[in-house]
């Protein structure tokens, strides 16, 4: 966050931030797992149990970005991380109604908490979802279509 003010003089106004990755200090939920990231020890208590201290860091990041005319591309997931498991081969994330319901809850939380911010330039569900080994393009497309329909409702 300390570097955000340096972006404007360099004529940069877009910053990608990974949100729901266990190696991020912004993840709302994960695990259960303990992580040590960015000098922080974070104990995630499981899906659906949000870490409000991480969300406060996201508040600060968005406020700092807005004050410096920087837009955040908020990447919710990385190709190597699935929020419901540590397994790279978890088909159920894409198809299980409970897993999808948790994703919808996370989307609702994300927009309710951060939708006010003009710094939230664009959300991205996945970075490189085509690199996932646990699904097919058709299943990924169906998941994205369902999340888009929920988001737009």
């Amino acid at each position: 966050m300390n570097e955000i003010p340096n972006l404007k003089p360099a004529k940069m106004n877009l910053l990608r931030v990974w949100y729901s990755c266990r190696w991020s200090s912004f993840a709302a939920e994960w695990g259960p797992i303990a992580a040590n990231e960015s000098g922080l020890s974070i104990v995630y208590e499981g899906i659906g149990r949000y870490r409000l201290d991480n969300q406060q860091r996201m508040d600060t990041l968005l406020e700092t970005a807005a004050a410096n005319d920087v837009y955040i591309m908020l990447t919710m997931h990385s190709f190597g991380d699935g929020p419901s498991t540590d397994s790279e081969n978890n088909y159920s994330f894409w198809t299980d109604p409970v897993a999808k319901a948790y994703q919808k809850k996370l989307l609702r939380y994300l927009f309710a908490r951060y939708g006010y911010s003009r710094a939230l330039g664009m959300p991205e569900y996945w970075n490189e979802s085509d690199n996932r080994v646990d699904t097919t393009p058709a299943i990924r497309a169906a998941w994205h279509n369902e999340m888009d329909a929920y988001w737009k409702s």
Side-chain angles (χ1 to χ4, degrees), residues 17 40 67 86 91 99 103 124:
V17 174
L40 302 169
D86 285 331
Y91 178 83
Q103 281 301 287
E124 176 187 37

Side-chain angles (χ1 to χ4, degrees), residues 57-78:
R57 275 189 283 285
M58 181 58 71
D59 290 333
T60 302
L61 180 127
L62 288 170
E63 290 164 9
T64 304
N68 288 279
D69 298 319
V70 172
Y71 296 99
I72 300 298
M73 176 184 210
L74 193 60
T75 301
M76 293 185 64
H77 303 292
S78 172

Side-chain angles (χ1 to χ4, degrees), residues 88-102:
E88 186 73 12
N89 295 302
N90 184 22
Y91 178 83
S92 67
F93 174 81
W94 301 95
T95 58
D96 182 82
V98 173
K100 292 193 287 186
Y102 275 115

Side-chain angles (χ1 to χ4, degrees), residues 1-132:
M1 282 186 258
N2 295 336
E3 293 300 319
I4 290 176
N6 296 329
L7 297 176
K8 191 173 185 177
K11 300 190 185 309
M12 298 170 64
N13 69 347
L14 180 66
L15 178 66
R16 175 184 270 162
V17 174
W18 277 262
Y19 181 64
S20 290
C21 303
R22 70 175 176 262
W23 43 265
S24 166
S25 61
F26 302 113
E29 57 184 346
W30 199 274
I33 191 172
N36 292 301
E37 300 300 330
S38 304
L40 302 169
S41 278
I42 304 168
V43 177
Y44 294 102
E45 296 178 4
I47 303 302
R49 305 207 45 189
Y50 294 172
R51 290 294 311 221
L52 297 182
D53 54 340
N54 287 2
Q55 302 318 286
Q56 186 175 2
R57 275 189 283 285
M58 181 58 71
D59 290 333
T60 302
L61 180 127
L62 288 170
E63 290 164 9
T64 304
N68 288 279
D69 298 319
V70 172
Y71 296 99
I72 300 298
M73 176 184 210
L74 193 60
T75 301
M76 293 185 64
H77 303 292
S78 172
F79 75 89
D81 294 306
S84 60
T85 182
D86 285 331
S87 170
E88 186 73 12
N89 295 302
N90 184 22
Y91 178 83
S92 67
F93 174 81
W94 301 95
T95 58
D96 182 82
V98 173
K100 292 193 287 186
Y102 275 115
Q103 281 301 287
K104 291 173 183 177
K105 288 178 184 177
L106 183 60
L107 278 174
R108 183 176 63 228
Y109 178 81
L110 180 75
F111 289 113
R113 181 156 184 153
Y114 303 118
Y116 75 92
S117 177
R118 65 181 183 82
L120 182 58
M122 65 200 81
E124 176 187 37
Y125 292 133
W126 284 94
N127 179 40
E128 301 180 17
S129 69
D130 57 325
N131 285 335
R132 296 295 301 191

